[in-house]
């Protein structure tokens, strides 16, 4: 009886997961601004949005990389779409207002999706409380957290008009503290707190802006893999399968278009631990730690 019940339950869950009710037409003609789009997941987001018929403006610091991404977007989309970029360093919070204004004017004055994805590139390391450790706090919190809040804040009136969406690219490290990236984890936890609160306020104000938080596991971007290898985490790379940046980007777009509250990807790699974290903290910590290697 119990076995039958579990089999039916599993069937229902798998069935639900396999139903793809994403309609790509919902993205066509939409105006999208993507941060951190010169490489990695952000770059792939730009390609998928272009292919799906959206107007795309991207930002990051390296202009040559942004130009290359835009050229490829042009090949993937149609002549009628807009593709452009704004060069910006998100450590400069005062510049975020003009960055957003420039992006919106390139998009013809309307914004439908704000996709917050950039992160500062950090070497993995043990937090010993050294002056180097402490010197990272402001930079990481500025770029990974505060600039997200600033950009979202500047975008709110525009998104309110368009009934648009904010997509926040976060991490398993923002749900479950991870070793060797403590300050990165802290910045991602902060995103969950801020955007969780903002989401509630928007509902209370009957404001039709959706916020999708994307909780990602291991994704095989060049920077992520190099960071792990650089800190001797070969065991982690052997034990976990890194998802493809392109598939991840597509799932982010899909979840944003469906106005999903929170998405986990790859789901089976991270969701069970997040679910069990508060019930069995020691066991979950142990399982999580199991994939890491402490190099002396
Ligand atoms: P990448 O390192 O490949 O890309 C980071 C992007 O951010 C680049 O475009 C970079 O461009 C930009 N960037 C870096 N510093 C700044 C800055 N100061 N100002 C503006 N832009 C900046 O990252 P991923 O693609 O791997 O990750 C993308 C997102 O996914 C992040 O939010 C990350 O936390 C999340 N994630 C990734 C995982 C993974 O395994 N890859 C796992 C979990 C979450 P430029 O240098 O030109 O400025």
């Amino acid at each position: 009886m119990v076995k039958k019940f579990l089999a039916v339950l599993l069937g229902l869950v798998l069935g639900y997961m396999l139903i793809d009710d994403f309609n790509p037409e919902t993205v066509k003609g939409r105006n999208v601004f993507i941060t951190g789009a010169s490489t990695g997941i952000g770059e792939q987001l730009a390609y998928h949005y272009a292919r799906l018929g959206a107007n795309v403006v991207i930002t990051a610091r390296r202009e040559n990389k942004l130009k290359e991404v835009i050229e490829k977007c042009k090949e993937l989309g149609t002549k009628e779409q807009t593709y452009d970029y704004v060069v910006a360093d998100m450590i400069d919070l005062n510049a975020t207002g003009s960055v957003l204004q420039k992006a919106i004017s390139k998009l013809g004055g309307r914004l439908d999706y704000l996709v917050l994805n950039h992160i500062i590139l950090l070497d993995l390391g043990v937090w010993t409380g050294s002056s180097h450790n402490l010197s990272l706090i402001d930079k990481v919190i500025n770029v990974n957290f505060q600039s997200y809040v600033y950009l979202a804040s500047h975008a709110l009136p525009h998104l309110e008009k368009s009934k648009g969406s904010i997509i926040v690219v976060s991490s398993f490290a923002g749900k479950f503290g991870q070793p060797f990236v403590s300050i990165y984890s802290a910045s991602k936890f902060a995103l969950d707190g801020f955007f969780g609160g903002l989401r509630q306020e928007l509902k209370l104000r009957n404001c039709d802006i959706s916020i999708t938080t994307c909780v990602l596991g291991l994704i095989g971007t060049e920077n992520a893999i190099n960071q792990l290898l650089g800190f001797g985490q070969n065991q982690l790379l052997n034990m976990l399968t890194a998802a493809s940046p392109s598939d991840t980007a597509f799932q982010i777009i899909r979840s944003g278009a469906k106005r999903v509250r929170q998405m986990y990807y790859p789901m089976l790699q991270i969701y069970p631990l997040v679910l069990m974290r508060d019930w069995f903290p020691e066991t979950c910590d142990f399982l999580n730690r199991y994939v890491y290697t402490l190099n002396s």
Side-chain angles (χ1 to χ4, degrees):
M1 183 67 187
V2 176
K3 270 188 191 164
K4 264 189 192 163
F5 174 74
L6 286 176
V8 170
L9 192 67
L10 188 68
L12 285 174
V13 171
L14 285 177
Y16 177 75
M17 285 166 72
L18 290 175
I19 293 171
D20 191 357
D21 54 349
F22 167 53
N23 178 4
E25 286 294 312
T26 53
V27 174
K28 197 170 174 181
R30 300 288 170 177
N31 291 350
V32 186
F33 180 41
I34 312 165
T35 70
S38 62
T39 53
I41 297 166
E43 177 185 355
Q44 298 302 322
L45 283 165
Y47 298 152
H48 280 299
Y49 272 122
R51 198 175 45 77
L52 291 166
N55 301 307
V56 181
V57 173
I58 59 175
T59 183
R61 291 166 306 172
R62 287 170 295 169
E63 186 167 18
N64 57 332
K65 289 276 178 193
L66 291 172
K67 277 184 179 163
E68 283 172 23
V69 176
I70 290 300
E71 284 313 307
K72 192 151 175 209
C73 285
K74 285 181 186 165
E75 287 168 23
L76 294 166
T78 63
K79 283 201 179 105
E80 288 70 41
Q81 289 164 246
T82 301
Y83 318 94
D84 213 329
Y85 65 85
V86 179
V87 178
D89 187 339
M90 292 300 168
I91 203 143
D92 183 2
L93 299 175
N94 292 326
T96 52
S98 75
V99 170
L100 192 93
Q101 280 311 327
K102 278 183 202 161
I104 292 179
S105 65
K106 284 172 189 285
L107 287 166
R110 177 187 163 107
L111 180 67
D112 297 298
Y113 289 100
L114 172 66
V115 188
L116 299 168
N117 164 77
H118 61 277
I119 40 156
I120 195 165
L121 190 61
L122 278 184
D123 289 336
L124 275 71
V126 176
W127 189 271
T128 58
S130 65
S131 53
H132 170 67
N133 286 160
L134 297 174
S135 72
L136 296 175
I137 299 176
D138 283 352
K139 280 185 211 155
V140 174
I141 299 297
N142 265 12
V143 176
N144 290 9
F145 171 61
Q146 294 203 62
S147 68
Y148 278 47
V149 177
Y150 272 67
L151 287 167
S153 306
H154 300 312
L156 281 178
H158 303 277
L159 293 171
E160 192 161 358
K161 254 191 244 158
S162 65
K163 300 188 190 315
S165 304
I166 301 173
I167 300 178
V168 181
V169 180
S170 190
S171 169
F172 178 53
K175 291 282 181 187
F176 200 118
Q178 294 300 305
F180 314 134
V181 289
S182 322
I183 197 66
Y184 166 79
S185 253
S187 67
K188 293 296 192 184
F189 265 81
L191 288 176
D192 214 26
F194 176 77
F195 284 100
L198 181 62
R199 187 188 285 115
Q200 301 285 339
E201 282 183 25
L202 293 172
K203 294 266 185 237
L204 286 166
R205 292 204 283 126
N206 286 323
C207 180
D208 201 4
I209 300 175
S210 68
I211 299 181
T212 297
T213 314
C214 305
V215 183
L216 304 182
L218 179 63
I219 316 299
T221 61
E222 201 180 326
N223 283 341
I225 301 299
N226 287 341
Q227 281 171 308
L228 289 164
L229 287 174
F231 195 57
Q233 299 305 309
N234 306 51
Q235 174 174 295
L236 182 149
L237 291 170
N238 290 335
M239 291 176 87
L240 301 179
T241 307
S244 106
S246 172
D247 291 351
T248 307
F250 187 76
Q251 291 307 324
I252 292 172
I253 291 172
R254 184 177 169 273
S255 306
K258 290 173 65 186
R259 301 172 87 88
V260 165
R261 183 180 186 281
Q262 195 142 257
M263 69 84 103
Y264 290 85
Y265 191 82
M267 197 174 187
L268 289 179
Q269 189 189 90
I270 52 176
Y271 195 48
L273 277 186
V274 174
L275 266 186
M276 295 190 312
R277 185 193 63 175
D278 293 336
W279 290 81
F280 309 105
E282 291 295 340
T283 312
C284 290
D285 275 5
F286 171 78
L287 291 172
N288 183 64
R289 261 196 323 271
Y290 195 70
V291 297
Y292 287 97
T293 315
L294 177 62
N295 299 298
S296 51

